[in-house]
Amino acid sequence: MENLISALHADISVIGTLKTFRKGARMLDMGMPIAHLYLVVKGRVIMTKNFRNSKKRHICHIMYPGEFVGIGEIFSKEKTSRMSAFALGEEVRAWKIPYFKFELELRQNSNLVDCIILQFIKKRQEIWKRYQRKRSLSSPDVIIEFLKDIAKERGVAENGWIVAQGFTHSELGAYIGICRQSITQTLNSLKKENLIKYNRSEFLINPKLLQK
Amino acid sequence: MENLISALHADISVIGTLKTFRKGARMLDMGMPIAHLYLVVKGRVIMTKNFRNSKKRHICHIMYPGEFVGIGEIFSKEKTSRMSAFALGEEVRAWKIPYFKFELELRQNSNLVDCIILQFIKKRQEIWKRYQRKRSLSSPDVIIEFLKDIAKERGVAENGWIVAQGFTHSELGAYIGICRQSITQTLNSLKKENLIKYNRSEFLINPKLLQK
């Protein structure tokens, strides 16, 4: 997978231009025509959707470096974006790629096809995980399982803690489908038990939490 | 899309063999190595998973004609099945295709790649829909929305009703994540209002339900 991604960056650098997005910058706009997609190089991008029957904004996906933003629309008839995309919590760097160039590349680059399909499978598994937890666990347990995930998948060991990039309480809620109040309550009680520490930019997770 | 599928069947007939599965027959076994995948031609196939922390069997997907069963594993390192697959409620006909032949075909057949990516996107949207409803609607409304879906997507008009293939109450529950008791209760009350009729093999849906 690592080799796939580095080969991919070399291919994409020919057809895309590297752009920088500030915290909160909008990269895609739900319902608007799109002519570009992005390959994330640094930082995180959130894909959000306003669902019918709901005023809340949901975070559908978090895209990390090596992942494409706006990929689904290439293969569907409608060339309007089904989600909005925003730079999350820090500066984001990404390749901006015109659709028509990407489509041409796709026809000759089986490496790129593999990357895309792997990304679809991975993101589908992430949705499943969240859906399944929502079906079978209590709110505090949903939050704990999420913290374990980011510690395992994105965490860096430091002074006996595992450091992972931060989310605000409402971002966290919009991602795992728990109201902000329950998030705050659960995080506070985990903090009292010394299982986590957090600030605006990061979560520090006690390795003991992973055994929970 | 229709053209894509008929072209696909011609391609697949060269590398696969057509098989028939009786009601309830197991086509894939979760955790077991797999060497074949299937392209459904007739009937429905359910993909199920036994999740950790849960005794219940969940129905992750329902695969209809034109869709592949066991496709995700081609692109992942582990060659064991992540789900079980069973013929649902009727006879199923499907092309059985050896993996190595399918992989070779994939390298030369961009039509096949498009079909697979479209299927991934479609199934991902279906999971989203269920997850989103589970997050924001009451159990009866989740059931009503599901009935509207099968009426719109799979229904056939007949004598003023829309006929769709049936599910047992527990199958329906395992698919949309509602307990069997609530399913029975809601279906009974819809029956009393003359909005649906059902038997073992089909749902008859009153077009009035679609306006609800």
Side-chain angles (χ1 to χ4, degrees):
Chain A
M1 189 66 198
E2 293 306 314
N3 292 342
L4 262 183
I5 289 173
S6 54
L8 187 68
H9 279 273
D11 298 335
I12 294 300
S13 66
V14 180
I15 56 171
T17 40
L18 199 56
K19 299 266 179 189
T20 303
F21 300 86
R22 272 190 228 175
K23 178 179 168 177
R26 185 186 293 260
M27 296 167 72
L28 289 181
D29 204 351
M30 186 174 167
M32 299 298 284
I34 41 174
H36 294 88
L37 57 99
Y38 302 93
L39 172 62
V40 183
V41 176
K42 179 176 164 276
R44 295 169 296 167
V45 175
I46 51 169
M47 311 283 301
T48 70
K49 207 167 177 170
N50 296 306
F51 284 95
R52 203 168 52 95
N53 307 330
S54 167
K55 281 177 209 161
K56 282 183 221 153
R57 189 181 76 163
H58 291 237
I59 298 181
C60 300
H61 298 290
I62 303 170
M63 312 310 278
Y64 290 95
E67 295 179 336
F68 287 95
V69 173
I71 201 86
E73 286 76 6
I74 290 193
F75 304 96
S76 67
K77 270 181 227 153
E78 304 122 63
K79 295 299 178 200
T80 54
S81 181
R82 273 171 301 178
M83 298 182 195
S84 298
F86 300 92
L88 177 72
E90 69 248 75
E91 190 187 271
V92 165
R93 281 179 77 73
W95 291 104
K96 183 176 182 178
I97 312 154
Y99 258 22
F100 74 97
K101 286 193 186 171
F102 191 82
E103 279 183 337
L104 285 176
E105 182 69 24
L106 205 59
R107 291 282 156 233
Q108 346 164 339
N109 190 338
S110 68
N111 185 0
L112 182 58
V113 173
D114 288 352
C115 279
I116 291 173
I117 294 182
L118 282 173
Q119 175 174 331
F120 277 121
I121 293 175
K122 192 164 150 259
K123 291 297 166 189
R124 194 181 60 174
Q125 285 173 334
E126 284 176 11
I127 304 171
W128 259 117
K129 214 192 263 178
R130 280 183 282 157
Y131 176 34
Q132 163 57 16
R133 286 174 183 169
K134 188 77 186 158
R135 269 167 78 159
S136 62
L137 300 181
S138 67
S139 296
D141 284 340
V142 171
I143 298 167
I144 290 170
E145 291 302 317
F146 174 76
L147 292 171
K148 284 156 81 169
D149 280 351
I150 58 166
K152 277 184 221 156
E153 287 161 26
R154 309 275 164 193
V156 179
E158 205 175 272
N159 302 326
W161 290 77
I162 302 163
V163 182
Q165 282 173 310
F167 297 87
T168 67
H169 294 190
S170 63
E171 282 162 1
L172 193 52
Y175 184 64
I176 56 178
I178 306 285
C179 68
R180 199 194 48 74
Q181 291 79 351
S182 302
I183 304 263
T184 304
Q185 215 169 16
T186 304
L187 292 184
N188 280 341
S189 83
L190 290 171
K191 204 174 180 178
K192 268 186 202 153
E193 296 178 62
N194 199 34
L195 289 171
I196 61 163
K197 296 193 252 187
Y198 59 87
N199 56 41
R200 278 193 161 272
S201 67
E202 52 194 23
F203 280 106
L204 285 93
I205 296 158
N206 191 328
K208 279 180 200 160
L209 187 75
L210 302 189
Q211 273 101 55
K212 238 194 150 178
Chain B
M1 189 67 199
E2 293 305 315
N3 292 342
L4 260 183
I5 288 175
S6 54
L8 187 68
H9 279 274
D11 299 335
I12 293 300
S13 65
V14 180
I15 56 171
T17 40
L18 200 56
K19 299 266 177 188
T20 303
F21 300 86
R22 272 191 227 173
K23 177 179 169 178
R26 186 186 293 259
M27 296 167 72
L28 290 180
D29 203 352
M30 186 177 167
M32 299 298 284
I34 42 173
H36 294 89
L37 57 99
Y38 303 93
L39 172 62
V40 183
V41 176
K42 178 176 166 274
R44 295 169 296 168
V45 175
I46 50 169
M47 312 283 301
T48 70
K49 208 167 178 171
N50 296 305
F51 284 94
R52 203 169 53 96
N53 307 331
S54 166
K55 280 178 209 159
K56 281 182 221 153
R57 191 180 75 162
H58 290 238
I59 298 181
C60 300
H61 299 290
I62 303 169
M63 313 309 279
Y64 291 95
E67 295 178 336
F68 287 96
V69 173
I71 202 85
E73 287 75 6
I74 291 194
F75 304 96
S76 67
K77 271 182 225 151
E78 303 122 63
K79 295 299 178 200
T80 54
S81 180
R82 274 172 300 180
M83 297 182 195
S84 299
F86 300 91
L88 178 71
E90 68 249 75
E91 190 186 271
V92 165
R93 283 179 77 72
W95 291 104
K96 184 175 182 179
I97 312 154
Y99 257 23
F100 73 97
K101 285 192 186 171
F102 191 81
E103 279 183 336
L104 286 176
E105 182 70 24
L106 206 58
R107 291 283 155 232
Q108 346 164 342
N109 189 338
S110 68
N111 185 1
L112 182 57
V113 172
D114 288 352
C115 278
I116 290 173
I117 294 182
L118 282 173
Q119 176 175 329
F120 277 120
I121 293 174
K122 193 165 150 257
K123 291 295 165 188
R124 193 181 62 174
Q125 285 172 335
E126 285 175 11
I127 303 171
W128 259 117
K129 213 192 262 177
R130 279 183 281 156
Y131 176 35
Q132 163 57 16
R133 287 173 183 169
K134 187 76 186 159
R135 268 167 78 159
S136 62
L137 301 181
S138 67
S139 296
D141 283 340
V142 171
I143 298 167
I144 290 170
E145 291 302 317
F146 173 76
L147 291 170
K148 284 156 81 168
D149 281 350
I150 57 167
K152 277 183 222 158
E153 287 161 25
R154 308 275 164 193
V156 179
E158 203 175 275
N159 302 327
W161 290 77
I162 302 164
V163 182
Q165 282 171 309
F167 297 86
T168 67
H169 294 191
S170 63
E171 281 162 359
L172 193 53
Y175 185 63
I176 56 178
I178 307 285
C179 70
R180 199 193 47 73
Q181 290 80 350
S182 303
I183 303 264
T184 304
Q185 216 168 15
T186 304
L187 293 184
N188 280 342
S189 82
L190 290 171
K191 204 173 179 178
K192 268 185 202 153
E193 296 177 62
N194 200 34
L195 290 170
I196 62 163
K197 296 193 252 186
Y198 59 86
N199 56 42
R200 280 193 160 270
S201 66
E202 53 193 23
F203 280 105
L204 285 92
I205 297 158
N206 192 328
K208 279 181 200 158
L209 187 74
L210 302 189
Q211 272 101 54
K212 238 194 151 179

